[in-house]
Amino acid sequence: MPSRKACCPSLEKARIIYSSLREAGIDFVVYLPDSANYFVQRMAAEDPQVTSVSVTREDEGLAIAMGAFMGGRNPVLIIEASGLGLCTLAFSTLGHEQRMATLILYGHNFALGEVRDVHACTRWVAEPILDALRIPNLTLM
């Protein structure tokens, strides 16, 4: 099994990501536990100033995050990119029709040498799914 170091941001980079989320006003974190975002998710779960919710499916998480937005919170959904395909109905009904919003932070690896071949498909489908649904997105490298 690959080491955690090979599959997720270092603790230092996770701290930068998490502190950036907090500086941006994020106060509600929904996540599906995964190896790529583990440190960021753990920081959210341990932060007493943030409501943190662990879910079992990405579309469930998106609905909870968007509901939190409607309740006046500033949410982020943290998932692996492979789960975006499960969210298309929630994107269209909640995002487009209901005008609910949330920030989505997902692991998306363009690099050669991906340590898990099951993650390779996310490079091909994540952005096209968001583009097809006309959802603004930005990939940070």
Side-chain angles (χ1 to χ4, degrees):
M1 181 166 189
S3 70
R4 181 171 310 283
K5 186 176 181 181
C7 64
C8 65
S10 67
L11 185 55
E12 177 184 338
K13 289 179 183 174
R15 282 187 181 121
I16 293 169
I17 293 168
Y18 189 71
S19 66
S20 297
L21 291 172
R22 292 294 288 133
E23 287 176 27
I26 297 298
D27 62 359
F28 195 96
V29 177
V30 181
Y31 65 93
L32 184 88
D34 71 74
S35 58
N37 298 303
Y38 171 76
F39 289 131
V40 177
Q41 294 168 342
R42 188 177 84 193
M43 288 174 196
E46 293 174 353
D47 187 340
Q49 296 179 332
V50 170
T51 301
S52 177
V53 179
S54 177
V55 296
T56 58
R57 286 179 49 112
E58 292 85 348
D59 53 346
E60 169 192 30
L62 184 61
I64 290 169
M66 289 178 163
F69 170 78
M70 295 302 288
R73 303 299 291 273
N74 294 314
V76 63
L77 173 65
I78 304 175
I79 59 174
E80 288 185 358
S82 58
L84 290 175
L86 294 173
C87 295
T88 54
L89 185 59
F91 280 141
S92 61
T93 58
L94 299 176
H96 286 283
E97 293 178 23
Q98 302 290 327
R99 304 285 191 247
M100 295 182 187
T102 192
L103 173 66
I104 301 172
L105 174 66
Y106 65 90
H108 186 85
N109 190 345
F110 281 108
L112 296 174
E114 170 63 58
V115 296
R116 292 186 174 85
D117 60 349
V118 296
H119 292 174
C121 67
T122 64
R123 290 192 298 269
W124 308 320
V125 300
E127 287 180 75
I129 287 172
L130 295 173
D131 290 341
L133 293 169
R134 298 182 181 155
I135 295 172
N137 60 86
L138 175 66
T139 301
L140 302 175
M141 303 299 269

